[in-house]
Structure formats: structure tokens, C-alpha cells
Amino acid sequence: MHQLTLALYQPDIPQNAGTMLRACACLGFQAAIIGPTGFPVSDRDFRRAGMDYLGQLAISRHISFESFQHWRKSTQQERRARRLILLSTKAEESYLDLVYQPDDILMVGRESAGVPEEVAAASDAVVKIPLTPAARSLNVALAAAIVMGEALRQLNSVGADNTQQREVWKQG
């Protein structure tokens, strides 16, 4: 059985990448980095933000999105590729309306540019964090943490009957 994974698409700010990987280690997520990155993994700011948690985390590294997609399909279960859930400010669906599955891959885009259209089109779902009308976006590490928390809340507090609980939530 797989566990939740956070994928970083071509991260370009080392402090954010280190922070997200630290969150993965602390919350029990797997991590994937889709290159190229805007910094070397030896970057001082990346290491400082990740602290000693980077050593506690298995990180799958991919030289391209195509390489990542091949890996995602190779880790499928029961002839079904793991779902790819993209976090995007351009999404219509709220992250709160999605029913998360234990082997989902949550993906965040580049801080400076998000993801290309073909990457968004390859995603199984695209979700956003609803913001006040005057706000454009959150820091990518904060956005990742918010959605990671919701996925964990659903999967840990609900158990096997996730669909029934979500219906109660929507009605309540």
C-alpha cells in the first residue's frame, strides 16, 4: 500500500522546498521532486529550511514531468495509476470538496509560474484554497501544508467509510 505523497514541480525557491520536505517528514508523507529545480540540493537555504528532517525522508527525484509520470504509473495499484491532485489558484474546485485517497499525490507548482497547461491537463483533479477576493495566492509551502492537513484529517479521522462521512459534512 502507498501513502500520500507531496510532489514539488520544478521548485525555484530553496527555503520553500526545504520547508515542504520537512512537513512531509513530520506528517508521514512521501516526497517527489520534479526537475529541473531552480537551485542545487546542496543549497544552504534548502538545507537550513529542511533541517535534519531531510535525512528522515525518502525523496524520489525525477528529471522531468514525463519521468515523474512514468514513475507514477509504475507505482499503480490494481491497474490504476495513483491520482495526481494539483493545487492551483486557477482551479474551480475547493480542496475541501475533494475526497482524498490514501495513495494520492498532491502536487504544487513553481512559485514563480505554477505548472504548464499540459501538466494541469494530466492531473486527475485540480483544487484551490478559497481566498478572500482581494488575495491572489498563498505561499506555496503554506498552501501545501493546508491541503496536506485536510487529506490527513479525512483519512485518519474517517477511516474506511470516507464517502459517507463526506456526505454528512456537506449536509451539516
Side-chain angles (χ1 to χ4, degrees):
M1 183 168 115
H2 297 288
Q3 65 189 71
L4 291 165
T5 299
L6 179 66
L8 286 60
Y9 179 85
Q10 298 183 354
D12 49 7
I13 299 178
Q15 297 91 330
N16 285 339
T19 298
M20 288 185 282
L21 295 178
R22 180 178 175 183
C24 286
C26 291
L27 298 175
F29 273 65
Q30 294 178 344
I33 297 177
I34 303 163
T37 63
F39 55 88
V41 293
S42 59
D43 183 279
R44 185 183 78 162
D45 294 327
F46 173 71
R47 293 269 178 221
R48 182 181 298 138
M51 297 177 58
D52 58 332
Y53 293 96
L54 297 178
Q56 301 174 24
L57 181 63
I59 304 169
S60 62
R61 292 185 169 87
H62 309 278
I63 61 171
S64 66
F65 184 69
E66 293 76 24
S67 169
F68 168 78
Q69 285 289 75
H70 177 73
W71 169 81
R72 181 168 77 106
K73 291 176 182 166
S74 74
T75 62
Q76 69 186 19
Q77 288 186 338
E78 300 173 13
R79 299 184 185 158
R80 177 183 61 83
R82 298 171 67 188
R83 287 194 319 171
L84 181 59
I85 312 300
L86 174 64
L87 284 63
S88 172
T89 58
K90 299 174 185 173
E92 296 296 320
E93 182 178 8
S94 169
Y95 78 104
L96 295 168
D97 294 332
L98 186 69
V99 177
Y100 296 89
Q101 298 173 4
D103 62 346
D104 281 346
I105 301 170
L106 309 178
M107 183 169 66
V108 296
R110 297 183 75 188
E111 294 90 337
S112 61
V115 300
E117 184 56 40
E118 59 270 14
V119 172
S123 301
D124 297 298
V126 183
V127 298
K128 69 178 179 180
I129 299 170
L131 303 175
T132 61
R136 290 186 314 276
S137 66
L138 292 168
N139 173 280
V140 69
L142 178 59
I146 289 170
V147 178
M148 292 166 74
E150 174 61 14
L152 287 175
R153 184 196 68 79
Q154 284 187 24
L155 295 170
N156 289 337
S157 66
V158 175
D161 194 11
N162 199 15
T163 305
Q164 180 181 7
Q165 180 64 27
R166 293 300 292 162
E167 292 304 315
V168 171
W169 177 262
K170 286 181 180 178
Q171 293 172 9

